[in-house]
Amino acid sequence: MDRNLALELVRVTEAAALVSSKFMGRGDKNGADGAAVEAMRRAFESIKIKGEVVIGEGELDEAPMLYIGEKVGLQTDDCKEVDIAVDPLEGTTLIAKGLPNAISVIAMGAKGSLLNAPDTYMKKIIVGPKAKGVIDLNKSAEENIISVAKALGKKTSEMTIITQDRERHDYIVKAARSLGARIKVFSDGDVAAGIATCFEETGIDMLMGIGGGPEGVITAAAVKCMGGDMQGQIYPLSEQETKRCHEMGFSDEDIEKILFIDDLAKGDDLFFAATGITQGDLLKGVVSIGNNKATTQSVVMRGKTGTIRFVDAIHNLDKNDILVDLMKKYNMD
């Protein structure tokens, strides 16, 4: 795929971030999410791709925009067919409460490269490049921590494991503390937490836990671009979620199968882009700098070259047609 598509994707996540940032701390997570979705959809209209959303906001009858199966991009005959996975606002609760680490994300790959994961839970282990090949979801949390520590040349007491602050992860906390490792918890937004494992400056050595399946595929695309490693397993937590898996063509054997990173995101013709909305550990949030201007910080990755770019931008909001239109629609300035 054309390498210039990387910057085009950044423009899409920037649009969603700028619009949704207007809702920060206002307690309206649905309004923020709807605005981000609409901004992202509008921004896709000018991109030269024949894209299909394989991970989005739900089915057609549940979400009017960016639904699974929706076509995005110019859709002309000379456009490349691609899979699109989106989370216009990862961390709706975070934006509503003005908490850190809300981001807008996109993953894109060649047609058939991204797993069409059911919108159920997924069990995950994620590590950076130095621990590639040593994780195993069939093993215990303790065994995985020990293996990753050895690969990183660390004592287990020097390890930091990140996991979502949920009761279902008590076994991870117990295992880490039994080995003297540090635990860092996050409330929402496991894409940001997952990719943090691949940046040494974050101090995060591995992620373990049970989070969103679609978010797992998006994370896998980024982790693969960075040379990290990931394993996942579809992990329905209710009969309703198991039924959802079956409706999407996943058999009981498929649900039990351990998914390697190449199962989640195939090949190297992959792109990933994210823009910070609220201040985060990896990306700065949207900041108003007066005169109706704002700054954003994004990260964009390309699987074929392994290039990771951070993009700092200053936006003149008066000249951003998408933002102007949506702010009028939502009666916000």
Side-chain angles (χ1 to χ4, degrees):
M1 286 188 284
D2 185 350
R3 62 183 181 182
N4 293 322
L5 284 173
L7 189 56
E8 295 292 340
L9 290 184
V10 169
R11 292 191 179 102
V12 175
T13 55
E14 285 175 345
L18 286 165
V19 171
S20 59
S21 71
K22 296 291 186 178
F23 290 80
M24 187 179 70
R26 295 177 184 256
D28 184 6
K29 65 179 184 180
N30 292 331
D33 191 37
V37 169
E38 193 166 352
M40 185 171 277
R41 190 173 194 243
R42 287 270 305 272
F44 265 124
E45 293 175 355
S46 62
I47 298 183
K48 193 176 180 179
I49 55 171
K50 190 179 287 186
E52 180 176 348
V53 177
V54 297
I55 293 171
E57 294 291 297
E59 302 297 335
L60 174 58
D61 58 349
E62 297 174 353
M65 294 171 287
L66 290 173
Y67 56 86
I68 296 171
E70 182 174 359
K71 309 299 183 182
V72 297
L74 290 177
Q75 294 288 321
T76 55
D77 290 340
D78 58 339
C79 292
K80 185 175 178 64
E81 290 187 286
V82 295
D83 286 347
I84 300 288
V86 298
D87 197 341
L89 172 49
E90 200 219 4
T92 55
T93 299
L94 301 178
I95 192 74
K97 295 183 177 180
L99 296 173
N101 292 313
I103 60 174
S104 177
V105 295
I106 294 174
M108 183 174 72
K111 186 69 175 177
S113 62
L114 300 180
L115 177 72
N116 190 358
D119 44 354
T120 60
Y121 284 95
M122 179 185 286
K123 191 174 185 180
K124 311 167 190 176
I125 300 181
I126 306 172
V127 294
K130 291 183 179 179
K132 186 177 178 64
V134 306
I135 54 176
D136 188 348
L137 264 181
N138 285 316
K139 293 183 177 180
S140 68
E142 290 92 341
E143 289 174 304
N144 275 291
I145 293 171
I146 291 169
S147 295
V148 173
K150 184 176 180 181
L152 298 179
K154 291 184 174 184
K155 300 175 183 178
T156 56
S157 59
E158 296 173 322
M159 293 281 290
T160 299
I161 293 89
I162 193 166
T163 192
Q164 195 171 17
D165 189 12
R166 300 290 188 270
E167 285 187 15
R168 63 179 179 266
H169 297 147
D170 286 350
Y171 76 98
I172 296 171
V173 175
K174 182 178 179 181
R177 289 176 176 165
S178 72
L179 295 170
R182 295 180 292 270
I183 281 284
K184 182 173 182 178
V185 298
F186 62 96
S187 60
D188 296 280
D190 62 355
V191 175
I195 65 177
T197 62
C198 294
F199 290 95
E200 291 189 25
E201 58 268 30
T202 66
I204 305 298
D205 296 304
M206 62 190 301
L207 176 145
M208 289 191 289
I210 300 166
E215 290 85 353
V217 177
I218 295 173
T219 305
V223 170
K224 191 166 186 183
C225 287
M226 293 184 285
D229 201 5
M230 175 177 176
Q231 288 186 14
Q233 181 184 24
I234 304 300
Y235 207 83
L237 295 180
S238 66
E239 290 185 11
Q240 184 178 2
E241 288 192 1
T242 300
K243 181 181 178 181
R244 176 63 176 151
C245 292
H246 292 160
E247 289 173 348
M248 292 188 66
F250 286 77
S251 66
D252 290 336
E253 291 76 17
D254 293 330
I255 293 171
E256 295 174 1
K257 179 184 177 182
I258 301 300
L259 300 168
F260 295 87
I261 194 165
D262 287 339
D263 297 317
L264 299 166
K266 299 176 184 176
D268 62 1
D269 211 355
L270 299 166
F271 289 93
F272 173 87
T275 300
I277 303 173
T278 59
Q279 188 70 20
D281 297 329
L282 180 63
L283 294 169
K284 298 175 184 176
V286 177
V287 178
S288 175
I289 57 173
N291 297 320
N292 210 22
K293 293 183 179 180
T295 63
T296 57
Q297 186 176 57
S298 306
V299 61
V300 59
M301 310 173 189
R302 188 182 181 210
K304 185 163 289 188
T305 60
T307 303
I308 303 168
R309 287 186 173 91
F310 285 86
V311 180
D312 291 299
I314 300 173
H315 304 268
N316 188 328
L317 305 182
D318 290 329
K319 296 183 179 181
N320 185 315
D321 292 340
I322 295 174
L323 187 65
V324 170
D325 290 348
L326 292 181
M327 287 306 93
K328 287 180 181 177
K329 176 177 179 178
Y330 288 95
N331 296 315
M332 300 178 73
D333 51 29

